[in-house]
Amino acid sequence: MDTWTGHDVPTLPGEAPAPRLYDSARREIASTAPGSTATMYVCGITPYDATHLGHAATMITFDLVNRLWRDAGHDVNYVQNVTDIDDPLLERAERDGEDWIVLGMRETALFREDMEALRIIPPAHYVGAVESIPAIVEHVLELLASGAAYTLDDGTGDVYYSIAAAPRFGYESNLSRDEMRVLSAERGGDPDRAGKRDPLDPLLWRGARDGEPAWEGGDLGPGRPGWHIECTTIALGRLGDTIDVQGGGSDLLYPHHECSAAHAETLTGRAPFAAHYVHAGMIGLEGEKMSKSKGNLVFVSRLRADGVDPMAVRLGLLAGHYRSDREWTDDVLKTGEERLARWRSAAAAPAGPSGEGLLSAVREALRNDLDAPAALAVVDAWAEAALSNAGDDDQAPALMARTVDALLGIRL
Ligand code: 5CA
Ligand code: ZN
């Protein structure tokens, strides 16, 4: 699938170490230690509706990781998927009397535009579920052959992964079985389905049903892929057996990320699948998680159509720490707009306090588990001083603009 178009990212003087990030599995902040090429997989959209501010916040979070690794001198192999076949897409298309393929293509195109406007560095590989089906089939057959998967004997052709094949199942989300069962039922799983070996076993392959799209599955029979194996296969195919960061919103920690990591570990025999499991908090509106299924959405494209500067949206989302669940309000946007205007004026000042001092303080804040609010406070203080004619570093305004562009993705 085509990715989107990127922008030049300025390089910055001096050295920066790789960031420290909170790992959901270990429940602590730990240094990332990538090789010369850092590898990251982030769960992308299911394209049945437009990009909302929750998606934007999660994409901005991992864009910061990407920027910090680059600043630390690493190449970054970043992979993101598009779940271009799954129940929600089919349900929305059915509701609206639309072709699911057309719906998915339209919303994916809009997502790309939104990502470009928000200056998200494009992934090296942007990969759809549908185009990955042959590789997914291979993986499901491999899991069946090794006894880590089984076919239900009710004639549906549905294949499940046996979590008994994952001795450490649950290590990523740190949840009890009861908690997992509840979340599994809420988030696309089917713990009560008869015939499964364990209620928590997730679907790998759904046998063809009347009226649903289906693909050739070779020995699996016709059908379509389960959700978790999609991300496993796309990640393993583009990034290798183990990766530096597996990312997404906190709504994906269980079952999605737990199960995709378990699939990967069974397939490769190597654990942990990711050195860091990183989860962004949920953006809400009026007290509820913003979600397509609830319909309480603020769309990036709507704001853009209303003439809102995408950089103000980005600053609004960066004003809260990425791990905290937070609300999007008119005030958040207004504060983002005011900050953007102030930074723009300050970048045009003749001089300011030390630009190198500013750069190292912003780096320091961000490498500490992406503390963007602290980074914003550093730039605010610098801007206030520059606007009141404090400081005599005449190179500082230009370096400030490069710093916020390269590290925060804010183009002044
Ligand atoms: N296609 C799957 C992942 S494989 C999916 O969850 N799609 S999604 O469209 O629902 O979400 C896309 C990304 O945005 C995911 O990383 C998800 O965790 C994140 N996300 C969804 N809603 C929110 C929200 N309200 N706040 C923050 N992030 C969100
Ligand atoms: Zn995913």
Side-chain angles (χ1 to χ4, degrees), residues 109-276:
L110 188 58
F111 176 76
R112 287 192 190 94
E113 276 181 30
D114 291 335
M115 292 300 102
E116 240 172 90
L118 290 168
R119 296 183 79 86
I120 308 286
I121 299 174
H125 304 280
Y126 193 48
V127 188
V130 170
E131 64 184 303
S132 307
I133 289 176
I136 294 172
V137 168
E138 286 301 309
H139 277 158
V140 177
L141 288 169
E142 224 176 295
L143 291 168
L144 275 169
S146 71
Y150 56 95
T151 307
L152 280 203
D153 61 7
D154 59 4
T156 56
D158 293 353
V159 181
Y160 281 82
Y161 172 78
S162 172
I163 63 163
R168 293 176 63 215
F169 193 79
Y171 81 84
E172 180 178 334
S173 55
N174 292 293
L175 298 168
S176 69
R177 270 189 68 92
D178 284 349
E179 290 168 321
M180 291 192 220
R181 198 178 163 127
V182 171
L183 285 178
S184 157
E186 283 172 9
R187 297 175 177 170
D190 52 6
D192 297 322
R193 178 153 186 201
K196 296 204 310 184
R197 290 184 191 161
D198 187 309
L200 300 180
D201 289 348
L203 182 74
L204 287 168
W205 184 255
R206 176 173 162 89
R209 306 288 203 276
D210 281 349
E212 286 185 14
W215 288 263
E216 267 318 306
D219 290 346
L220 296 175
R224 59 183 166 99
W227 176 27
H228 320 305
I229 190 71
E230 165 195 343
C231 285
T232 308
T233 298
I234 294 173
L236 292 178
R238 301 301 197 292
L239 295 172
D241 288 359
T242 58
I243 64 177
D244 290 303
V245 164
Q246 181 195 40
S250 59
D251 57 334
L252 300 185
L253 176 56
Y254 191 85
H256 185 51
H257 285 177
E258 186 83 56
C259 292
S260 0
H263 296 341
E265 289 167 8
T266 307
L267 283 162
T268 66
R270 296 186 57 189
F273 167 56
H276 274 75

Side-chain angles (χ1 to χ4, degrees), residues 48-59:
Y48 68 91
D49 214 334
T51 322
H52 61 62
L53 288 170
H55 304 137
T58 291
M59 297 309 155

